[in-house]
Every structure is written in structure tokens, then in C-alpha cells.
Amino acid sequence: MVSSELLKNNPLGDPHERQVPVYLPAGYDAKNTYPVMYYLAAYTNSGQGVVEWRGFGESIPERLDRLIHEQQMGATVVVFPECFTRLGGNQYLDSPAMGPYASHIHDELIPLIEQSYAVKKGAKHRAVLGKSSGGFAAIRFAMDFPGRWGAIANHSGDAGFDLLYQRDFPAVADILAQFNGDIEKFIKRFWKAKKVMGSHILAMMHLCMAATYDEANTTQLVLPFDLETCELNHERWQRWLAHDPVNRVADHVGALQQLNGLYMDCGFRDQYFIHYGMRQLAKKLEKSQVEHTYTEFNGTHSGIDYRLDESLPFLYEKIK
């Protein structure tokens, strides 16, 4: 159990005490020290969710066991931060409307792990990775916390916000219209529903993004478009765009160049069109002379945990 002082009294009323799973490799011996990775769950998932048994395919702990047994990577400790929220997930940034989740991981969780487990201390032995929202957070952590990470892996992380989010604004407006534009009423009904609809998850996701990207949102959430006409509020939308990794590379070249490894991949059939944003991001990195690996594969945004067979050994080699 992790008790966070930073998350106490957070705006959403989410618990500040969390169960944080930690993977220890077979034969873990506290007399030795191990590199450490932090896996950030995608939106709608959680740290506890990603370590659970699966009926089809491997859980991440099972995948780690196999990769280590096959000597594709060495023994590693892996931490799964638990940051699920009332808005259905997390982008892992500090937000006045959600709470200081980035600071929680960097200033509370990392020191606690280093005190509690036999992990090698220091950034050069520490990596962060994730898919979707987790991948977005991984590259943002590299940008926003220079010198704190040795390597990162970004699987299909949110990028290219114009293509990723704007196309869904009319659908979100239609959902919220069923609640007369009352966002708090929608959120309460969401959690009381016996069956959660995919369209409602889409609307909740956009509320999570609004709470994360728009610092003007505090106690009341406002989306970057008019709920009646769907006209874009350009001032609010610019706040979202300022968080797009594509738009942040130029100002964070020095931080990114401190990494010993930067791995990215994306399916070229991603149903959210994230591959276009990832291509833009890769081009920006190349132009800025930030060393990185970017790969596209024949897949969508779903069912891509098998790509961890590429990123986990990559990260291990960079932080061992």
C-alpha cells in the first residue's frame, strides 16, 4: 500500500492510498541490485489491471518471466503505478483539476521503490514505458523531468492532437446533450450505470483530457468547444495543443538528448490515427537530432502487448 501526501484531498476525491503492484524477477535476491522499469497503464486501465491473468495471451508479469527465461533480457524490477481516477484513467501529468500525478510518481513513488527494493539507484538504471496514455506520459516524463530517466518506450502514445481528438468533438457533444450539457450529472450517471456504453467512455475520455490539458479547469470542467454549436474555442484548444508531444520537441531537445534510449512504435492501422501523430513526432525528433528508434507495424491500437517483446529488451539493454 502506497500512501501519497501529494494526492490527499485531490479535486476528484480519488483515494490517496493505492495498491501498487511490483514485479520481482524469479530468483530476486535483495543482496543484488536490479534495474527498474515503470509501466504506465493506458486510459481505462490501471496498474492493478495490467498485471492480472488473461484468458488469451500473456499478462505483463508472464511476459517478463518468459523474456527473462529466454535470455532476451536480464532480471528487472517493474513497478506499475496505480493512478486510476474518477475520469476513467490518467495522462499522468500534474493537473489542478485532477491532482499532481507526475509529481506523485517522481517525488514519492520512485524514492519509495528505491528504499523498499534492491534496485539500482539513479536515472541511468531507470526506464518508463506505456501504451496510449501511458506512452504519451513516458515521453512527457522525458521532456518534463530531464535527468530522471535513462530510457523510455512509447507505444502508440497520444500525439497529433488535431487528428486524434477534434474529429470526436461532435460525438461527445451529442452524448452530453442527453444530459443537457451538465457534465457533473453525466459523470455521476456514468458510474451508476449498470452497463457502460462505448460512446460514454469516449465522452469521459475527453473530459479526462480537458481536466489534464486545460489549466483553466479546476472545480468545473469545460471542453474546448461549444456544447450547443460544437464551435471550437480556440483559446482553450491552444492549451490542449501546448501539451501535444509533437509541439513540445523543439523546447525540450536538451532533455530528450539526455536519454540513453528512446523507443517508439505504432500500428499503421491505428483506429485513432495516432500513427500520423507518431510520424510527425519521429520527424521532429530526427530534425532535432534526438537519437531514437521508431517502428510501424501491421496493427491497430488494440491488442498490441506483443510489441513489448521489442521494447522491454531494448529498455533493459539501455539501463542494465
Side-chain angles (χ1 to χ4, degrees), residues 17-78:
E17 293 185 338
R18 306 287 184 114
Q19 291 284 353
V20 177
V22 178
Y23 168 86
L24 301 178
Y28 171 84
D29 185 348
K31 296 178 182 178
N32 299 324
T33 54
Y34 303 84
V36 59
M37 301 182 191
Y38 291 74
Y39 182 91
L40 305 177
Y43 181 78
T44 73
N45 211 336
S46 66
Q48 296 179 80
V50 297
V51 301
E52 294 299 323
W53 177 86
R54 300 180 185 181
F56 301 94
E58 299 170 305
S59 69
I60 295 180
E62 289 172 334
R63 189 176 300 275
L64 286 161
D65 283 343
R66 174 178 57 79
L67 291 172
I68 294 171
H69 177 74
E70 293 175 350
Q71 298 184 346
Q72 295 188 50
M73 61 182 289
T76 309
V77 171
V78 182

Side-chain angles (χ1 to χ4, degrees), residues 264-315:
M264 305 194 308
D265 67 13
C266 192
F268 57 74
R269 293 187 291 112
D270 189 291
Q271 60 267 44
Y272 305 106
F273 306 113
I274 292 177
H275 47 298
Y276 293 109
M278 290 288 277
R279 290 171 187 173
Q280 294 173 35
L281 180 56
K283 286 187 175 182
K284 288 285 186 73
L285 293 172
E286 183 177 2
K287 182 178 180 180
S288 299
Q289 298 183 327
V290 175
E291 187 174 346
H292 65 284
T293 296
Y294 177 57
T295 302
E296 289 193 2
F297 55 91
N298 186 5
T300 65
H301 198 71
S302 309
I304 62 172
D305 271 5
Y306 70 93
R307 298 298 304 174
L308 293 170
D309 280 18
E310 304 295 327
S311 63
L312 290 170
F314 172 92
L315 293 175

Side-chain angles (χ1 to χ4, degrees), residues 216-237:
N217 281 318
T218 52
T219 57
Q220 184 177 5
L221 296 181
V222 179
L223 288 158
F225 56 89
D226 187 281
L227 291 179
E228 181 179 0
T229 66
C230 216
E231 291 175 285
L232 196 66
N233 181 314
H234 292 281
E235 182 180 355
R236 286 188 173 273
W237 180 237

